[in-house]
Amino acid sequence: MKILFYDTFDYDKSSFENALKDYPDITIDFLEADLNPMTATLANGYDAVCGFVNSDIKAMTLEILAGFGIKLVLMRCAGFDAVNLDVARDLGMSVLRVPGYSPEAIAEFALGLALAADRHIVRGYNRVRENDYSLSGLLGTTFHGKTAGIVGTGKIGAAMCKIVAGLGMRVLGYDPYPNPSLEGIVEYVELDELLAQSDLISLHSPLFESNYHMIDDDAIAKMKDGVVFVNTGRGGLVDTQALIRGIRSHKIGAAGIDVYEEEGPNVFKNRSSAVFESVTSTLCAFPNVVVTSHQAFFTRGALDAIAHTTLDNAMAYVNGTVDQLPKPNVVC
Ligand code: NAI
């Protein structure tokens, strides 16, 4: 099977080339360009394409691919909102994805963000580089003995609950579907109670229309003064302007932000020659905020898991055993 990979960076190439040793029947060509109606024409002669979160796999792209006889779209990510599934189904195409690759990778990063922001690790490091060994302005919180509020206790949230429990924190959870595996670790409460009682709040819920801006001015007003707030979930869960107001008013004592609403044009791009967009520059201007760019998943283990699951999906298609894949892998 010959697969054309779109929107690839050096790290995609190396993780997939490494995994390919276990899949002698698959060959891959890597493109930097993302998949869209223009670049879909490059897939002529391939058996499948592999897209990523920002690919445009809507009707026109799918029709061009189907015109070349390509019936398999592999997504090397969990999300599949980039694909028009109705059109894919009508064209008899299969869309396969990687639903959960390394929940611990994201949870560990969320704790890292909390510590980096609240304990001013980046500022401390920058001071030392400037030969400045003063501590004023670097005061943080001891999490041990405090309360953590985890919003969304699925795979990633559950890993986060265990990590913060390991720090000696009391753990509150909010999730419409409580996770039975967390019995004895998490006390489930309503969102308002979680907001009111938590010293550290970390978001691990997917984004739906129903929870868009679940963290708005009202929600922030209910939080403890000086709360440490972390978002590795999705930007749209938080009203960014409300977050900025919360940081300005000192309601939020520190924030670690891996995802934010206006991240779209920035994600995974080197835009160092362009001027900062206003939200990025505002967030970066706060001394108690650490912003990263959708980086929480980015570990060797996660890339390795993404590569193997994507290639397992491809082989299942070749062997006609898609129905034996774990159900969440099969989008259509
Ligand atoms: P999951 O499906 O295992 O768990 C999600 C949990 O959120 C479920 O238990 C669900 O009941 C709960 N939930 C749904 N609506 C909710 C609401 N309104 N309030 C609270 N909880 C709610 O998903 P998983 O693997 O844990 O991923 C969670 C999210 O993390 C993803 O949807 C994605 O947005 C984000 N993510 C971020 C990454 C990053 O690099 N920053 C990487 C991967 C995922």
Side-chain angles (χ1 to χ4, degrees), residues 152 154-156 174-177 204-206 211 232-234 258 297:
K155 290 184 283 298
I156 299 170
Y174 168 72
D175 193 309
Y177 301 97
H204 299 286
S205 148
N211 61 7
T232 58
R234 278 292 176 267
D258 189 48
F297 77 99

Side-chain angles (χ1 to χ4, degrees), residues 243-272:
L243 176 73
I244 290 169
R245 282 189 285 276
I247 298 163
R248 281 215 171 102
S249 70
H250 301 288
K251 182 76 180 172
I252 294 175
I257 307 294
D258 189 48
V259 289
Y260 54 97
E261 286 180 290
E262 292 80 2
E263 70 181 27
N266 299 343
V267 168
F268 308 149
K269 305 276 187 314
N270 180 351
R271 304 187 69 212
S272 47

